[in-house]
Amino acid sequence: NANLVNAVFDALLNTPQDIQKSVLKGIINSLLQEWKGPRTKDDLRAYFILLQNPQFNITSTYVIYAHLLRQIATLVEADHHFLVHWLKKLSQKKFKQLVERLLQFVSLRLFPAKPEEFPPLTKCTWWIPSAAKVLALLNTANNLVHPPLVPYTDFYNSTLDHIDLMEEYHTWQSFGNSHSKVWWIKYLEDKDLI
């Protein structure tokens, strides 16, 4: 029930801080839950609903958000199909908010205003690839709707124009981090740089 979810999220932002913290603790506990066997449709619905949580617009929730993105990114392809099916049914406004939140997450992870607010990049190399994978799911959903919910240009992150790609490539080669390698190869290929 999308109307109920929207009403709950709208009300959530107007609740006292202790209630908002309780909601975040519940999300943490659900994300830390050990999974045995494949995800159920209800599990996937939970991911879909959690992804829309407006609390994730706040940078202090980014560690939790990153873990949510990681779990969604590592789902099997069949589960991604369910999520894409639901994502394409979002309103244009909700869909655009998800895309903008992910782009902001990537931008602030790469260029934080307060670096001490986040774990060091070396300890969370999976944050950006996870966000990129979820953005790819949103892009797939967007491409399945005619006309698309948002123009393809809404997926462009202009903050990435400020990255020294050659320096990042050399860093990647020096440290050999396989998680970031996949993301950078994809990024460099998309930019026709390799």
Side-chain angles (χ1 to χ4, degrees), residues 33-186:
Q33 185 178 20
E34 268 197 51
W35 295 100
K36 295 176 182 168
R39 303 291 198 280
T40 67
K41 207 168 181 182
D42 285 337
D43 297 332
L44 298 175
R45 275 192 197 98
Y47 283 133
F48 176 66
I49 291 168
L50 290 176
L51 195 58
Q52 298 174 62
N53 186 336
Q55 289 178 292
F56 293 132
N57 286 332
I58 304 163
T59 56
S60 61
T61 65
Y62 274 15
V63 172
I64 303 166
Y65 188 49
H67 283 278
L68 172 63
L69 296 176
R70 183 183 210 176
Q71 287 193 17
I72 291 171
T74 58
L75 290 170
V76 298
E77 188 176 341
D79 293 344
H80 282 158
H81 286 293
F82 274 111
L83 287 175
V84 165
H85 175 71
W86 293 328
L87 288 168
K88 72 181 185 180
K89 293 183 177 188
L90 285 173
S91 70
Q92 182 181 23
K93 179 183 175 188
K94 290 287 182 186
F95 191 88
K96 188 173 180 70
Q97 287 172 343
L98 288 179
V99 172
E100 288 172 349
R101 184 177 303 139
L102 281 159
L103 293 176
Q104 179 183 358
F105 174 83
V106 170
S107 296
L108 291 176
R109 175 62 273 193
L110 287 172
F111 304 105
K114 299 177 188 173
E116 67 279 358
E117 197 171 19
F118 303 121
L121 264 173
T122 55
K123 298 216 185 259
C124 54
T125 57
W126 50 272
W127 281 31
I128 293 172
S130 296
K133 179 69 174 183
V134 176
L135 268 170
L137 295 174
L138 284 161
N139 185 52
T140 300
N142 193 51
N143 289 335
L144 292 173
V145 180
H146 299 289
L149 293 167
V150 297
Y152 72 91
T153 54
D154 282 6
F155 288 89
Y156 184 75
N157 191 336
S158 59
T159 306
L160 299 181
D161 291 343
H162 305 289
I163 291 178
D164 182 344
L165 289 176
M166 292 314 291
E167 180 184 330
E168 293 294 331
Y169 178 76
H170 291 299
T171 302
W172 165 64
Q173 285 293 312
S174 300
F175 293 106
N177 186 323
S178 62
H179 292 293
S180 62
K181 278 184 182 178
V182 173
W183 185 80
W184 281 114
I185 288 173
K186 178 74 174 125

